[in-house]
Amino acid sequence: MENDSGFCSDCKAYTEVVLDHRSGDTICTECGLVLEERARSDPITDNGVLAVNISNDNKKADSCVLPRLHKTLRNPDKSLHVAFESLGVMADRLALVATIRDHAKELYKKADNRKFCRGRNCDAIMAACLFLACQEKGFPRTLKEIATVANGASRKEINRMKELLKKILEVDSKTTNAGDLSRRCCSMIGMANQDMRAVLETLNKSEEIDVRRSPQSALAAVMYMIAQLSNDKSTRDLTLQDVSQAADVAVATTEKAYKDLYPYASRIIPNWFVKLEDLKKLCVP
């Protein structure tokens, strides 16, 4: 809830008004008139601190609300609402769904309730909450992606906050694997469904090989393999740089992972996707 001032037509004067984040209404604290109605809500706001009943005839808030209005105005909790607004902006910039955004808010609120946010970089904390929410909801994002919307907070700082949050909130976040990232990364470079399926199956088979590479680098290498063997010309034209950018890794990192996986191509690439003799189309690292 936020307080401000506005002109009330009933009081015929500028009065103190309050914005109810649950309903989106702007209400005069002197007479209870709803000055502005907006469809806005936030499921994370404390128990719907303000519950407003509007009558059809005069559109005024129920009189029992007014004492609570003044009580809230004396103890505004603006910082949490500001944080929620920032989290919403971050989530929108990453095109995250509402369930992830709201879960990130829940995590931040729990951390705030435990006084974790005091004296720390709130941007890094919010970014860490988004990272954890993405993982918990099964739509993981890389630290590098999260950092692009973190208002200057570094990946190192976000990762440190993430680890601290996991401990204090007892969050058992999933480890990001290449399979979780594959469909989104493949879509980014326009791969067809058949190629995406081949990427995912190749990734799953590559886990049987003792090649210690990060999920993103393994994904980039496999995407590059499948791209070279694709029936789609636009996919075959994809470069190392294209797949590396989609997987959020350096080109040199993709090259190393590709070199490690190349000797096992016949074992990991599904035979329904390509014939054994066609594997010679793959670039030799």
Side-chain angles (χ1 to χ4, degrees), residues 87-149:
L87 271 168
V89 171
M90 288 181 178
D92 288 344
R93 288 174 63 189
L94 288 171
L96 300 177
V97 295
T99 51
I100 293 176
R101 178 199 64 209
D102 291 342
H103 187 49
K105 290 181 180 181
E106 289 174 357
L107 293 174
Y108 186 90
K109 184 179 177 183
K110 289 178 181 177
D112 187 63
N113 287 342
R114 299 190 184 192
K115 314 300 182 187
F116 177 80
C117 303
R118 291 185 180 179
R120 289 189 167 99
N121 185 336
C122 288
D123 288 321
I125 296 172
M126 288 186 286
C129 288
L130 271 181
F131 182 88
L132 291 172
C134 287
Q135 285 193 322
E136 290 193 310
K137 294 300 180 181
F139 297 95
R141 293 299 182 99
T142 64
L143 274 175
K144 186 175 181 179
E145 288 177 291
I146 297 293
T148 62
V149 301

Side-chain angles (χ1 to χ4, degrees), residues 129-245:
C129 288
L130 271 181
F131 182 88
L132 291 172
C134 287
Q135 285 193 322
E136 290 193 310
K137 294 300 180 181
F139 297 95
R141 293 299 182 99
T142 64
L143 274 175
K144 186 175 181 179
E145 288 177 291
I146 297 293
T148 62
V149 301
N151 302 319
S154 67
R155 277 182 281 176
K156 182 177 180 181
E157 200 170 10
I158 295 169
N159 189 57
R160 188 167 68 88
M161 291 299 108
K162 178 199 72 173
E163 295 302 322
L164 289 173
L165 284 170
K166 285 168 64 175
K167 291 178 182 178
I168 70 161
L169 301 181
E170 298 180 351
V171 175
D172 185 20
S173 64
K174 302 174 184 176
T175 301
T176 301
N177 61 64
D180 292 331
L181 299 168
S182 63
R183 178 163 290 276
R184 181 167 54 83
C185 293
C186 289
S187 297
M188 288 173 63
I189 52 177
M191 278 187 160
N193 287 333
Q194 179 171 284
D195 294 337
M196 291 185 191
R197 180 186 165 196
V199 167
L200 184 57
E201 290 189 21
T202 304
L203 281 170
N204 290 337
K205 289 291 290 183
S206 69
E207 293 178 0
E208 301 172 6
I209 301 168
D210 188 21
V211 175
R212 298 178 184 179
R213 291 290 173 186
S214 70
Q216 289 100 311
S217 61
L219 172 59
V222 168
M223 287 168 65
Y224 187 54
M225 279 184 170
I226 299 303
Q228 294 175 69
L229 303 171
S230 174
N231 290 324
D232 182 75
K233 184 180 182 304
S234 61
T235 301
R236 290 199 305 273
D237 289 340
L238 292 171
T239 65
L240 263 174
Q241 185 173 359
D242 293 329
V243 297
S244 299
Q245 186 174 356

Side-chain angles (χ1 to χ4, degrees), residues 18-87:
V18 68
L19 172 62
D20 176 16
H21 283 273
R22 184 180 178 187
S23 66
D25 296 339
T26 301
I27 305 164
C28 173
T29 61
E30 296 298 324
C31 68
L33 180 72
V34 176
L35 304 180
E36 183 180 358
E37 293 178 284
R38 289 179 293 177
R40 179 178 177 177
S41 64
D42 193 328
I44 316 301
T45 302
D46 269 338
N47 301 319
V49 175
L50 182 61
V52 182
N53 298 316
I54 308 300
S55 61
N56 292 326
D57 54 345
N58 58 11
K59 285 192 174 182
K60 285 192 178 184
D62 192 291
S63 59
C64 66
V65 161
L66 297 181
R68 295 206 301 275
L69 284 176
H70 290 288
K71 182 178 179 181
T72 306
L73 288 172
R74 288 195 299 271
N75 299 287
D77 188 8
K78 292 184 178 180
S79 61
L80 195 58
H81 289 297
V82 170
F84 285 175
E85 290 289 338
S86 296
L87 271 168

